[in-house]
Amino acid sequence: MSDMSRFDKLAGAAERYGRLSLDNYAIVRNVAENVSAGFCRYLGESKGVCVHLVPPEGPWLPRPYRSGAFSVSGTGFLPLGPIAFGLAVKVSNTGDWIRLVLTCAKKGHHVEVVIAGGPVFDIDLPVEEADLIDVFDRLHAHLVRWFTDAADLYEHGDYGGQAIGFDFLHNPLGESGEDG
């Protein structure tokens, strides 16, 4: 008979799970923060406030949500699995934003990223902004392609009914999404 009680064995397994779920969250959050900050620089928007991390579901405004931007926010016991987050991306000079939803899953020494309604690709770990140019190219191409395809379909007499995994918002608070 083992010196370890059944409860101790269960507690040890739960503690290991907890450590790994925190590690998983830290990796995905690092990816999200690097993508958010770098994509705004990549877009070259003159005021420098054009991408925010927002919740992947439910109501949102274009402002930073910090830990509230992740699908695991408020879950208590942090689940070990893929984590989704939203990217609010400014798409016009008149205050229009979209929410693009990304889901990340650690797979060995890389993170698999799924853009809702779009491509799947990998990011090597550890994440370095120089390695994210391909990600930014993919995000940009995905957004431009969706707007272009929808406009082309309309011009040819068909609305298309395409889905891209984001929703639109006209920001009533102004450019940055913050009051005053």
Side-chain angles (χ1 to χ4, degrees), residues 69-101:
F70 299 89
S71 60
V72 296
S73 177
T75 59
F77 198 80
L78 194 60
L80 182 56
I83 298 174
F85 60 90
L87 278 181
V89 181
K90 185 177 176 186
V91 295
S92 76
N93 291 317
T94 58
D96 297 303
W97 294 73
I98 55 92
R99 172 172 56 186
L100 185 60
V101 176

Side-chain angles (χ1 to χ4, degrees), residues 98-147:
I98 55 92
R99 172 172 56 186
L100 185 60
V101 176
L102 287 77
T103 301
C104 295
K106 183 180 178 290
K107 305 253 179 156
H109 296 290
H110 68 272
V111 173
E112 180 182 80
V113 179
V114 178
I115 300 174
V120 177
F121 51 91
D122 294 331
I123 299 174
D124 290 330
L125 294 174
V127 176
E128 298 191 22
E129 190 172 327
D131 299 331
L132 294 177
I133 297 301
D134 181 55
V135 175
F136 304 149
D137 288 342
R138 288 171 187 260
L139 290 170
H140 182 258
H142 179 64
L143 293 168
V144 170
R145 183 174 40 255
W146 185 84
F147 283 111

Side-chain angles (χ1 to χ4, degrees), residues 17-36:
Y17 179 100
R19 280 191 312 274
L20 294 174
S21 65
L22 283 173
D23 180 62
N24 183 57
Y25 174 74
I27 289 168
V28 172
R29 185 159 180 171
N30 183 42
V31 167
E33 289 173 347
N34 276 289
V35 167
S36 176

